[in-house]
Amino acid sequence: LYMFFATNVGTGWDVQSVLMKLKTGGDPTNYDDWEAPQRYLDKDGKVLNTYYGGITLDMTHFSYNDRDYVIWSQRNFGKNGGTADLWIGETTAENPGQLISDPVKIVDCEYSWERTHQTVTEGPFVIIREDTLYMTYSGAATDETYCVGLTQVDLSEDVDFLNPASWKKS
């Protein structure tokens, strides 16, 4: 059992995605049965934000056709207007704490409803139903303007989740 979460790893605002693994035979309700949290790594074994910088959070995992993926929100206040956008990368079931692909941005924080009081897309959640993968996510500030968005991918044997054009946003 693995737990994905984000924590402030430094001083100031340095929120990063981390992963904890339940020890073999462990009780998930017992703190001592979990291994120490580890920062999520890119394909080169560096911390996930090495390539783009900024903060990473709200990581979620899904599998399709025996391949594993993670999606997260990443925000670099000095790039892309400081927006928090959704990124994807491929990982493995054997080592879910590290990418085996380059990270790819799949959802830009672009619509006005995603930019109310904050420029944020975050909280991805994947639902696979029949021939479609749906991903819900949140946008805007965490106040009365907070909204839910949706992207979807038509599933097939050769679907490429790492191709931003595969994702249809609404």
Side-chain angles (χ1 to χ4, degrees):
L1 180 63
Y2 294 91
M3 180 177 9
F4 293 86
F5 63 98
T7 188
N8 195 359
V9 297
T11 59
W13 187 246
D14 194 13
V15 177
Q16 300 299 324
S17 295
V18 297
L19 180 80
M20 285 177 66
K21 180 181 179 183
L22 184 66
K23 295 175 185 174
T24 303
D27 174 359
T29 65
N30 183 349
Y31 176 82
D32 293 329
D33 287 351
W34 289 91
E35 294 180 2
Q38 301 294 316
R39 289 203 41 196
Y40 204 91
L41 303 177
D42 68 14
K43 72 175 189 175
D44 298 321
K46 298 176 181 171
V47 294
L48 183 59
N49 71 336
T50 299
Y51 166 75
Y52 192 72
I55 63 173
T56 64
L57 53 92
D58 294 351
M59 185 171 279
T60 192
H61 171 272
F62 74 94
S63 298
Y64 184 74
N65 279 351
D66 296 322
R67 295 175 75 177
D68 293 271
Y69 302 88
V70 288
I71 302 173
W72 67 95
S73 179
Q74 184 148 349
R75 183 177 202 171
N76 183 323
F77 293 96
K79 292 184 179 178
N80 198 34
T83 61
D85 306 297
L86 296 180
W87 293 66
I88 190 170
E90 188 170 358
T91 188
T92 64
E94 297 76 29
N95 187 13
Q98 182 173 356
L99 296 180
I100 60 170
S101 71
D102 287 326
V104 177
K105 186 168 44 166
I106 55 171
V107 172
D108 286 306
C109 180
E110 61 185 326
Y111 295 139
S112 62
W113 62 267
E114 297 165 325
R115 296 171 154 269
T116 306
H117 302 160
Q118 288 290 323
T119 52
V120 173
T121 55
E122 62 188 5
F125 183 78
V126 171
I127 302 164
I128 298 175
R129 178 128 171 104
E130 297 175 6
D131 59 352
T132 307
L133 178 146
Y134 300 95
M135 182 182 66
T136 62
Y137 65 93
S138 302
T142 54
D143 60 13
E144 70 279 357
T145 65
Y146 210 36
C147 296
V148 176
L150 179 71
T151 61
Q152 63 187 61
V153 175
D154 296 327
L155 298 176
S156 64
E157 287 300 314
D158 59 343
V159 64
D160 184 2
F161 295 114
L162 302 179
N163 178 355
S166 298
W167 297 84
K168 297 174 185 81
K169 184 176 173 182
S170 58

